[in-house]
Amino acid sequence: MPFYIRTGKALPKRSTEVTIQFKRVPHQLYKPSETTGLVPNRLTIRIQPDEGMSLKFAAKVPGAARNFCDVDMNFSYTSAFGIESPDAYERLIADCMTGDSTLFIRRDEVETSWRIIDSITNVWKNMPASTVYPYRAGTWGPPEADELIERDGRQWDNP
């Protein structure tokens, strides 16, 4: 199962989320011409800043005609409970003040993380400069990021 990670600085929006795109079913109930333009079903888990999740899927419009459209089932903590979730750092500071180390990592985890990052940066040092793809601030990244996943018939779901 392929997975893609996109990260960057100065993107149009601050967003941390995980999107799972489901495969199309092998046997369609309807003719392909009747379902053109529909995107594959997607489950998106929004981590921050708007914590929640959404499920996008195709649905048949009620009635005799075979009309389909993409629909979105959306859950947001803010709208469901009427309060803003604390910022991640607010939560960590509060936990630190009360002595709750549940969300903090241990020393051996930090050391292992740095070993992994060091191995990545060492490989980067030996890579040619042509493997870095610059992009303008305020965009979702270089065209190469789009081309990467389009080869597999996918596209980014920009928030």
Side-chain angles (χ1 to χ4, degrees), residues 64-133:
R66 290 187 178 176
N67 296 327
F68 299 90
C69 68
D70 292 316
V71 294
D72 190 6
M73 293 180 67
N74 192 25
F75 167 75
S76 167
Y77 278 94
T78 302
S79 61
F81 303 114
I83 57 171
E84 290 282 330
S85 296
D87 182 89
Y89 291 111
E90 290 176 279
R91 173 74 192 268
L92 287 175
I93 291 169
D95 287 350
C96 185
M97 291 170 59
T98 61
D100 183 356
S101 62
T102 306
L103 298 178
F104 294 87
I105 61 174
R106 298 183 319 262
R107 178 182 177 157
D108 61 325
E109 292 174 300
V110 172
E111 291 170 354
T112 300
S113 298
W114 276 113
R115 247 190 326 275
I116 292 168
I117 295 300
D118 286 343
S119 69
I120 293 169
T121 57
N122 286 336
V123 169
W124 283 350
K125 289 177 188 174
N126 297 321
M127 292 175 69
S130 63
T131 59
V132 175
Y133 304 105

Side-chain angles (χ1 to χ4, degrees), residues 41-60:
N41 297 345
R42 291 179 175 172
L43 173 65
T44 300
I45 303 164
R46 294 184 311 276
I47 299 167
Q48 63 173 321
D50 179 29
E51 292 83 358
M53 61 178 53
S54 66
L55 179 62
K56 292 183 181 183
F57 57 95
K60 182 184 172 301

Side-chain angles (χ1 to χ4, degrees), residues 19-23 40-43 153-155:
T19 299
I20 300 164
Q21 180 173 304
F22 296 94
K23 289 182 179 181
N41 297 345
R42 291 179 175 172
L43 173 65
R154 294 176 170 82
Q155 65 184 34

Side-chain angles (χ1 to χ4, degrees), residues 9-12 134-141:
K9 295 289 184 181
L11 299 175
Y135 60 94
R136 283 187 355 263
T139 66
W140 284 109

